Amino acid sequence: MHQDCTTIMGEHSMKKITWTIKNFSSLQREKLCSDPFVAGLGTSMLGPVHRQNEQKWFGEESPRWGRVSMFPLNEIHAKESGYLVNGEFKIVAEIEMELVSRLLERHPEIASDIRTKNPNLRMGYMSLLLSLIETLRQSPHKLSKTDLAEADAALGSLTNAGFKLDWLEKKLDEMAEKKEKEEAGEARVREIEEDLKDLNQKCSDLEAQLEKQKLELLEVLVLDRRTIMEKQSRKKITWTIKNFSSLQCQKLCSDPFVVARCKWRLCTYPKGKNVDYLFLFLEVADHDSLPCGWRRNVRYSLSIINQNSVKRSRQNGDYLFLNHCSLFQELLYEQKWFDEKTPRRGRVSMFPLNEIHAKESGYLVNGELKIVAEIEVIEVLGKFDVTEETSTITETMDVNGFQLLPSQMELVSRLLERHPDIASEFSTKNPNLRTGYMSLLLSIIETLRQSPHELSNTDLAEADAALGSMANAGFKLDWLENKLDEMAEKKEKEEGGEIRVREIEEELKDLKQKCLDLEVQLEKEKLELSAAKAPISFDDVM
């Protein structure tokens, strides 16, 4: 037999005894006792699995306690039950030493001045003291201020009766202080949680405001779809590819189409080209038959359409929402020169094939894939593909007294059709100067067709100066002045929007940092509150 340990558990001193009985199955004696050991007054016995806890008084009439039918013998002797190992049977007893004994041992003078001799009253006072100790062992969270006030009154009664309880008065003051800290901690936690809730809401509001501001800024940056003048050199083409998933060809091209008297076609690699992406490009249809030196400056956009209206389309490798198509397409345009060395333009990894083929993605409906190309021919050097003339870039044509290049002719004709009085007061007769002024006008128009983001305030000032020169020469350009004012206003909005976006982003960054700081502070407060709520042990009270 050995004594495992003696510990203070809660309000009692606990001693644990292990009694090992060897050769248990072969014992012939009716009764077997362990060696004597020293412990307190109350006992309880524990088995390895079965546990019985009891509190009893031991005295002359009851010097022993236990149970006749505590453990079934057949279960103890059962093979592989675990109760008998190598013939040994182990019994564990945990004996709690009476609280009063511990109390008197630690504070022997506690009742030295007590005046009451009546045993019943003395026992009553001791019961009150033990109840007071038990009260102070509870968590501050479970005690109300009334409980503490009543405990203080009980402590006063015990002191008046002659008990020396300075140590318990300190514990009561400590408990009152813990209670105060607990209440303050709970209030502080609620405050921090409310502050954190408000900050998180402000963050959400700011994020929404930031998205709105970015959208407004984007609307400013995007080219006005109502261009200064409609150009016949722009066209939108939709190419529908049927049975896309079952195509076996490596390369597929659309039928040729004409934009600005130039032939084009769209081509794609349905299975990708060395990567798992749809390779889509725009190509000059008859580039092999064109004479040397040809060049075409083109602004274009390639898209595949998500045919589910609630979903999104992909354009030049970027996402756009269908109800915002008109907003984003201009931004996603690319402007490139096509020539002998580069007769086609596009991207090898434009659209992921797995996304196109994904079920319910919306890109394939009834096996059809729809591709949209928007093409605007800015300038053509060399022969047109579709024309009855044989003019080249070096030839000029007369339009209302202005000598124009073939690439300028349609643009100026459209301009004079919309504003017939534009040059009615233009008095310059010199053909070279007239052509120079017209080229300057076209340059101003081309400048104002750019995004405000692409123009500096200096560009706008120079455009205004050039517009003044045109007006002084006799051109009637009120409509263009309005566009210039509109562009200047857009530029101002853009700059103001960018500043506001930066301000909101900084404010949002600060708010998020405050949220993080508050969350750390909240965790700290909760830990401190948890410590304040923890009950104190019997040893602490004594």
Side-chain angles (χ1 to χ4, degrees), residues 56-80:
K56 299 290 186 181
W57 280 99
F58 286 69
E60 292 180 51
E61 296 181 359
S62 303
R64 65 187 64 82
W65 285 101
R67 290 192 177 184
V68 175
S69 57
M70 188 170 182
F71 304 110
L73 285 171
N74 61 345
E75 186 173 337
I76 293 174
H77 289 285
K79 188 177 181 181
E80 297 182 358

Side-chain angles (χ1 to χ4, degrees), residues 269-279 347-353:
Y269 286 79
K271 303 298 182 183
K273 190 175 183 181
N274 301 323
V275 291
D276 293 329
Y277 283 77
L278 181 70
F279 181 15
R347 293 185 181 179
V348 177
S349 57
M350 189 170 178
F351 306 109
L353 285 170

Side-chain angles (χ1 to χ4, degrees), residues 202-217 496-512:
K202 287 180 180 179
C203 284
S204 298
D205 294 343
L206 263 185
E207 286 171 347
Q209 186 180 349
L210 180 61
E211 289 305 309
K212 180 181 177 182
Q213 194 69 40
K214 285 182 176 179
L215 188 60
E216 291 176 356
L217 178 59
E498 287 178 339
I499 291 172
R500 182 59 186 144
V501 164
R502 287 195 296 270
E503 289 175 348
I504 294 175
E505 287 175 338
E506 285 299 317
E507 188 176 353
L508 187 58
K509 181 181 177 181
D510 292 342
L511 276 180
K512 286 185 175 180

Side-chain angles (χ1 to χ4, degrees), residues 83 99 109 121 160 165 168 277 281 287 322 344 382 387 436 452 477 535:
Y83 293 111
L99 182 147
E109 77 290 353
L121 290 178
N160 292 335
L165 300 172
L168 197 55
Y277 283 77
F281 56 92
H287 58 88
L322 288 178
R344 62 188 63 85
T387 179
L477 300 172

Side-chain angles (χ1 to χ4, degrees), residues 260-296:
R261 291 191 293 165
C262 299
K263 288 183 180 180
W264 306 89
R265 67 178 182 178
L266 296 170
C267 295
T268 184
Y269 286 79
K271 303 298 182 183
K273 190 175 183 181
N274 301 323
V275 291
D276 293 329
Y277 283 77
L278 181 70
F279 181 15
L280 178 62
F281 56 92
L282 175 67
E283 181 178 71
V284 177
D286 53 356
H287 58 88
D288 290 333
S289 62
L290 291 175
C292 294
W294 67 271
R295 296 187 73 201
R296 295 171 185 180

Side-chain angles (χ1 to χ4, degrees), residues 126-267:
M126 183 57 69
S127 295
L128 178 60
L129 174 58
L130 297 178
S131 299
L132 179 57
I133 291 174
E134 183 62 27
T135 297
L136 297 185
R137 285 189 63 254
Q138 295 183 69
S139 164
H141 184 65
K142 296 180 180 179
L143 294 175
S144 65
K145 288 186 175 179
T146 301
D147 292 330
L148 293 176
E150 291 174 350
D152 184 65
L155 186 61
S157 298
L158 289 167
T159 303
N160 292 335
F163 284 86
K164 294 182 177 180
L165 300 172
D166 295 343
W167 53 275
L168 197 55
E169 287 179 9
K170 291 179 181 178
K171 288 297 176 182
L172 181 58
D173 292 340
E174 181 184 332
M175 181 63 75
E177 184 180 347
K178 288 189 84 174
K179 182 65 180 178
E180 186 176 345
K181 284 183 179 179
E182 175 208 335
E183 292 178 343
E186 287 180 336
R188 182 59 185 148
V189 164
R190 287 193 297 271
E191 289 174 3
I192 295 175
E193 287 175 338
E194 284 299 317
D195 290 345
L196 191 57
K197 181 181 177 182
D198 292 342
L199 276 179
N200 283 325
Q201 185 59 51
K202 287 180 180 179
C203 284
S204 298
D205 294 343
L206 263 185
E207 286 171 347
Q209 186 180 349
L210 180 61
E211 289 305 309
K212 180 181 177 182
Q213 194 69 40
K214 285 182 176 179
L215 188 60
E216 291 176 356
L217 178 59
L218 190 58
E219 289 174 342
V220 172
L221 295 178
V222 172
L223 289 175
D224 192 345
R225 296 293 290 184
R226 299 166 299 166
T227 54
I228 295 173
M229 54 169 294
E230 295 177 2
K231 301 176 72 175
Q232 294 179 340
S233 60
R234 174 179 290 182
K235 187 173 287 188
K236 182 177 181 179
I237 303 295
T238 300
W239 179 25
T240 300
I241 304 176
K242 296 183 178 181
N243 302 317
F244 180 82
S245 298
S246 59
L247 290 174
Q248 300 300 320
C249 55
Q250 183 180 4
K251 179 181 177 182
L252 184 68
C253 294
S254 69
D255 295 330
F257 53 87
V258 177
V259 181
R261 291 191 293 165
C262 299
K263 288 183 180 180
W264 306 89
R265 67 178 182 178
L266 296 170
C267 295

